Structure formats: structure tokens, C-alpha cells
Amino acid sequence: EVQLQQSGAELVKPGASVKLSCKTSGYTFSNYYMSWLKQMPGQNIEWIGNIYGGNGGTGYNQKFKGKATLTVDKSSSTAYMDLSSLTSEDSAVYFCARLSILPKSPFDYWGQGVMVTVSS
Amino acid sequence: DIVMTQGALPNPVPSGESVSITCRSSKSLLYSDGKTYLNWYLQRPGQSPQLLIYWMSTRASGVSDRFSGSGSGTDFTLKISGVEAEDVGVYYCQQGLEFPLTFGSGTKLEIK
């Protein structure tokens, strides 16, 4: 069974950074892309970027360049996202989601999401 | 960026009624391989989104056949035949044609 298990909720101060994790199981991590997405309360879903589990190659939404950095640890089948210089606009739920193996693929499995709250 | 625009539903919808959720893209999602790269997701309250339909009309594994997708290159419809209590939530369309991947703003379904 494919599973994406995200780390717990974070309360961080403005200007700080936070590292979120997405530990996977049930499939070959290095064969798939992982995406990260942002959902502010009651709002739309935004795609932040992709990372390939095989070689760590990344692609970012221009809007999030400089804000988010995606990495992977193949040995533990875990994807990470660093968010830097946090402001109130970064308070949101963040999801990791696997891109299926299909071409121009949909997000076929999602993590449970993690709430990040930026507050002093 | 491709803009995705979704319509609203006349909530609440009586249980058992059929509904259609609309989505429009600012650019044709029909690719040269003949596939249309439009996906549908349902986000139930307090949960993460789940894939319902991909390539405009292909149901994801385990999805009820009450859900069906159709459309053209820019105009799409998700039909739910006979809504049930478990269908409550927000439905999102998403284009998979090009980066950045983008979503519609969501269509909320409430059931009477």
C-alpha cells in the first residue's frame, strides 16, 4: 500500500525557516516524482514544485523560487521541503503528493498535509 | 500560466440527484498525443484531495462509476450521478499539460 506520511504541525516565528518531511512507503521511491503543494485556509491549491526521487532533479513554480527548496533522501525514501524567510503569507497547509508514472501525470497519492503557522 | 475557472453548484443538493460541475481552462488541454490533460479531485472536509478522474475521462482506481468526466479542449464537466452523503466536499479541476501545474478554485458540494 502506497503511503505518504508527513511530519507534524509547525509553529514558527517570522523570518525563520522550517523543514517539512514526507516519508514514503509501498512503492519504489526512486522511480517517481514528488510534488509539494500549498493550500491557504479556505483557498485554492498551489503547486510549489517537483523533485525526482531518482536523482533529486527539481522543477519549481516561479512564484516559489527562493522560498522553497526541495530535496530527497533516497536511503529513507523521504522527500523534504525547506521554507525560508517565513511570513504570515506562508501560513498554510502543505501537502506532498506523488505524481503517477503516467505521462503528464495526475497526483495519485497525497500526504495528510501539515499545517504551518507563522506567528511571533 | 494556465488559468482554471470552476462553476458553482446550487447548494444544498438533494440526495440522489445528479449534478454537473464545470471547469474551463484558458488554454486547450488537448495534447498532440490525443489526450486531454485535465484531472479532477475531491477534497472531503479535513482531508487531503483524492484523485477521481484523469485525462479528462478516465476514472482512477477504486472510484465509483457514479463519477464521470467529459469535455472538449477547454471546457470540462464532472458529472456525479446520484449524489450521496460521502460525496460532500470541494471538487477541484487541475491541468496537467504544462508547468506550473494549476488548479481551479474549487466547487463545493453540500447535500440536503
Side-chain angles (χ1 to χ4, degrees):
Chain A
E1 179 192 6
V2 174
Q3 292 190 335
L4 281 61
Q5 183 65 40
Q6 297 188 239
S7 45
E10 299 273 1
L11 172 61
V12 291
K13 293 189 183 323
S17 299
V18 68
K19 188 169 188 171
L20 310 180
S21 67
C22 175
K23 183 168 177 57
T24 73
S25 60
Y27 73 97
T28 304
F29 181 77
S30 57
N31 287 353
Y32 289 81
Y33 284 89
M34 186 70 75
S35 272
W36 288 85
L37 303 104
K38 176 183 181 182
Q39 186 173 38
M40 295 180 75
Q43 295 199 28
N44 199 5
I45 301 170
E46 295 180 280
W47 174 77
I48 296 171
N50 282 346
I51 186 164
Y52 186 53
N55 61 9
T58 55
Y60 292 91
N61 185 335
Q62 185 68 31
K63 178 178 178 180
F64 293 95
K65 282 187 176 178
K67 170 61 66 178
T69 303
L70 307 185
T71 56
V72 294
D73 177 359
K74 286 199 298 183
S75 68
S76 63
S77 300
T78 303
Y80 297 93
M81 177 172 68
D82 272 290
L83 296 169
S84 62
S85 304
L86 292 166
T87 73
S88 59
E89 287 301 300
D90 298 314
S91 293
V93 175
Y94 291 87
F95 295 99
C96 58
R98 192 185 80 165
L99 283 167
S100 88
I101 208 162
L102 301 167
K104 297 189 182 293
S105 55
F107 304 106
D108 61 353
Y109 288 92
W110 295 66
Q112 80 276 22
V114 57
M115 171 77 77
V116 173
T117 303
V118 182
S119 175
S120 54
Chain B
D1 299 0
I2 297 176
V3 177
M4 307 297 293
T5 304
Q6 292 186 232
L9 288 173
N11 287 314
V13 176
S15 180
E17 193 164 291
S18 294
V19 298
S20 292
I21 299 170
T22 60
C23 172
R24 175 169 290 176
S25 59
S26 62
K27 176 179 176 177
S28 176
L29 303 183
L30 175 62
Y31 191 54
S32 55
D33 62 4
K35 292 184 172 60
T36 301
Y37 289 101
L38 185 281
N39 308 314
W40 289 99
Y41 302 85
L42 163 61
Q43 186 173 31
R44 295 189 172 101
Q47 296 186 17
S48 50
Q50 66 173 95
L51 178 65
L52 295 175
I53 301 281
Y54 62 94
W55 295 350
M56 189 175 69
S57 59
T58 303
R59 267 189 304 276
S61 175
V63 173
S64 167
D65 59 6
R66 295 187 297 105
F67 293 90
S68 60
S70 63
S72 64
T74 57
D75 290 90
F76 311 98
T77 301
L78 174 69
K79 182 177 180 181
I80 311 173
S81 300
V83 297
E84 301 177 357
E86 65 182 19
D87 301 335
V88 163
V90 180
Y91 291 81
Y92 292 95
C93 59
Q94 175 246 327
Q95 64 83 13
L97 181 68
E98 63 185 41
F99 293 108
L101 304 175
T102 50
F103 289 77
S105 57
T107 300
K108 190 171 187 177
L109 173 62
E110 299 172 350
I111 294 180
K112 198 183 318 184

